[in-house]
Amino acid sequence: MGQHRWLGWSAGLALLVGGCDFSANFDNTPALEVKLLFGSALKEFCAQAVPQFNQQNPKLADGTRFQITCTTLGTGDVVTQVVNLAQQWQQGQIKADNPEFPTLISLDGDIYHSQLIYRLEQLFPGKNYIPAITTAPLMAYSPMVFMVPSQVADSLKNVNSVYQKILPAATFQAIDPQAPPLKIFFVQTAPTRSNSGLQTLVTQFAEVSGKPPEQMTIKEVQTYLPQVQKIQAKVTRYGVSTGSLARDMVKYGPFWASIGSVYESAVIEANQKATPGQTRYVAIYPKATFTSNMRAILPSAPWVSPQEREAAEQVMAFLRSPPTQELAAGLGLRPGVPGVSLGSQFTPSNGVQPQPTFDSLRPPAPEVVATMLQAWEQVAKKPSRVVVVVDDSGSMRGQKLAAVQQSLYSYINNLRPQDELALIRFSSQVDAPISIQGTAAGKQQGLAFVNNLRAQGATLLYDATLAAQTWLRQNLRPGAINAVVVLTDGEDSGSRIRLPQLEQTLRQSGLNTDERISFFTIGYGNEGEFNPQALQRIATINGGYYKQGKPETIANVMADLQLEF
């Protein structure tokens, strides 16, 4: 079994929860650290429950003090991280007591739970390192729903298939003559990273096939793929995180997205945090849906020591105790333990039903899910045309340019044949776009562009952004997601257009137009080196976002962006 993972209290204890740091110090005695790795639906639950547990000064039976830390990631990322660590251990690259190994895992749904079992079984046949779904205690759950503005909710209530209703319709009025003529803009998360996205994809296959997910076969995935592809063609944006996708629906309003496949808890949060005059949302419960079971998964694996197992069992008991379950309910999650009151969150005023009626869907066979994911990545995912605007001014010399080049290499290599990319280089001048497709020849052309980047000159940021919009408006791709990504490490210098005029021009292809070109901006380096406020303004005009990137994070930032379209 694995060795103890000891932690020196004198160094200061940090609790990492989805990018947030919490500290708890008891004394200067060495302590055992128990790492929790949870799906992002439990981010706020972790942030509140973990400090409460650590404040109890927990001990093992032998008196050893320990603390817990919690990291939350997209559920697909949790599975990938655990599998990668296990593979490194199998190959002798790391030891069983490596501190990166989590002791306790939670995934945001049973489909990814079955995928974790499946993938570790492929590495370690017959070892059964991950407990079966039915034996992992339930901490909380949140059924999948359709989040829609309250003014169009009646058009989708009591329908047998929401997807069959929205597929041929351009507006909600086409579904219900009494509804306002609000256009249908559908959003979901990417199934390769997000549990809600995977549950959404599986539900789409189940609806078009008319079969329960657990009865579907690999052959049937191929049979019904064209129909799922038609549903995916309705998508206007893929998100990486369910929570952030739902919050963007609220932030940008129903002209950005008018229907989203999200957790019930996201609808509660949207209404609780709504400001006066902001759109209210309603959860539409499908006739059959996934309940997004969030279980405590304690591996029976060599990287979990007896001491860690003992500590984890205390943690599980705490997380399932009535006070902590009430905490989950207060966050809009349904308690995993029977008998705990739902509380005041689950009311029609928050857009949800306290006791909704639906059939609970069960996961398909793991090899069928793997085929669905592959089919989505290669075929069903909506195609895109993206303009990437790359700053190679003089300030990009050295490590900055090398890291950006490596990130662009990965971005280009991950293009699918149906995806299209235009590359614009700018410094003291703005070059003409180089347009490529995700074919082998197109990728070679794109990689040649990356190789030829040279750090020199000024920063015509605003002129380059305008050039990208102008080109994309003239070359808009129907039936695809059209977007612009701007990457810069400096403030604008020398552009003919100023920021207010640029903003006005960008609105001409905004959310209330048929063009709907979204802008995403990346400020590269330290925020003192560029103008984050300007990049934020460029991005949020048309429903995109701004991110900061550094040499050590730019690859992840670009990878996340690529999932959006």
Side-chain angles (χ1 to χ4, degrees), residues 14-23 34-55 68-73 78 104-108 139-140 294-296 315 318-319 324-325 327-329 331 333:
L15 169 64
L16 176 63
V17 184
C20 299
D21 292 326
F22 298 85
S23 296
V34 177
K35 181 176 181 178
L36 280 53
L37 182 59
F38 284 4
S40 59
L42 291 177
K43 179 177 180 178
E44 187 59 32
F45 179 66
C46 265
Q48 296 190 32
V50 171
Q52 292 181 17
F53 181 83
N54 284 338
Q55 288 169 7
I68 60 174
T69 65
C70 183
T71 301
T72 56
L73 300 172
V78 172
L104 194 62
I105 303 164
S106 182
L107 306 169
D108 292 341
M139 294 187 294
M294 303 163 201
R295 303 179 184 275
V315 175
F318 172 81
L319 296 178
T324 314
Q325 288 288 291
L327 170 63
L331 296 171
L333 300 170

Side-chain angles (χ1 to χ4, degrees), residues 200-525:
T200 297
L201 181 65
V202 173
T203 301
Q204 291 168 0
F205 272 103
E207 282 210 13
V208 300
S209 69
K211 298 188 68 173
E214 69 273 16
Q215 294 181 13
M216 290 202 70
T217 64
I218 291 177
K219 183 178 180 180
E220 287 171 331
V221 171
Q222 300 302 325
T223 300
Y224 294 105
L225 179 59
Q227 291 172 260
V228 170
Q229 189 174 9
K230 290 180 180 179
I231 297 175
Q232 290 288 304
K234 301 288 287 189
V235 173
T236 57
R237 174 76 64 80
Y238 294 102
V240 177
S241 160
T242 314
S244 62
L245 185 72
R247 285 188 287 275
D248 281 346
M249 287 184 67
V250 176
K251 179 178 180 180
Y252 297 116
F255 288 101
W256 183 83
S258 54
I259 178 169
S261 181
V262 300
Y263 301 130
E264 177 191 56
S265 58
V267 180
I268 294 174
E269 178 185 345
N271 289 313
Q272 284 185 323
K273 295 184 177 180
T275 58
Q278 205 166 34
T279 300
R280 307 287 295 186
Y281 289 88
V282 173
I284 301 298
Y285 297 85
K287 295 295 183 182
T289 192
F290 284 100
T291 51
S292 315
N293 296 324
M294 303 163 201
R295 303 179 184 275
I297 304 170
L298 178 55
S300 297
W303 52 82
V304 178
S305 71
Q307 294 80 11
E308 290 166 336
R309 173 171 290 276
E310 180 186 344
E313 288 170 349
Q314 288 189 38
V315 175
M316 288 191 292
F318 172 81
L319 296 178
R320 285 171 47 85
S321 66
T324 314
Q325 288 288 291
E326 290 171 2
L327 170 63
L331 296 171
L333 300 170
R334 292 182 179 259
V337 177
V340 177
S341 172
L342 284 178
S344 61
Q345 316 299 322
F346 296 84
T347 62
S349 63
N350 282 330
V352 301
Q353 300 176 27
Q355 302 297 332
T357 301
F358 56 81
D359 294 329
S360 295
L361 297 177
R362 291 187 288 176
E367 60 272 16
V368 173
V369 174
T371 303
M372 289 178 178
L373 286 170
Q374 184 180 45
W376 178 80
E377 286 191 288
Q378 296 179 354
V379 179
K381 184 186 178 190
K382 191 171 184 175
S384 64
R385 174 172 284 171
V386 179
V387 182
V388 177
V389 184
V390 185
D391 175 0
D392 72 343
S393 58
S395 57
M396 288 287 288
R397 291 188 184 93
Q399 185 183 13
K400 281 186 178 181
L401 184 61
V404 167
Q405 287 176 306
Q406 183 58 49
S407 299
L408 288 173
Y409 266 118
S410 298
Y411 190 102
I412 292 168
N413 280 323
N414 287 331
L415 289 173
R416 303 171 305 158
Q418 59 268 45
D419 292 327
E420 298 177 4
L421 185 68
L423 296 159
I424 296 179
R425 187 205 68 82
F426 76 95
S427 55
S428 296
Q429 66 180 31
V430 180
D431 288 355
I434 296 176
S435 185
I436 67 171
Q437 291 184 316
T439 60
K443 290 179 181 180
Q444 287 301 314
Q445 187 180 3
L447 296 179
F449 168 91
V450 175
N451 284 334
N452 289 329
L453 291 173
R454 298 290 184 269
Q456 56 187 6
T459 308
L460 299 182
L461 170 62
Y462 300 155
D463 284 353
T465 303
L466 178 61
Q469 184 210 30
T470 301
W471 184 88
L472 192 52
R473 294 184 72 184
Q474 295 171 350
N475 297 274
L476 202 69
R477 183 180 180 185
I481 297 175
N482 296 273
V484 174
V485 176
V486 180
L487 196 155
T488 181
D489 79 326
E491 293 194 43
D492 180 86
S493 60
S495 285
R496 289 172 295 176
I497 192 170
R498 295 292 177 258
L499 183 57
Q501 289 72 40
L502 176 62
E503 290 178 292
Q504 185 176 359
T505 305
L506 294 184
R507 288 191 180 94
Q508 296 174 10
S509 56
L511 302 181
N512 57 349
T513 71
D514 291 333
E515 295 177 2
R516 296 179 62 83
I517 298 174
S518 294
F519 283 75
F520 300 83
T521 57
I522 300 174
Y524 191 58

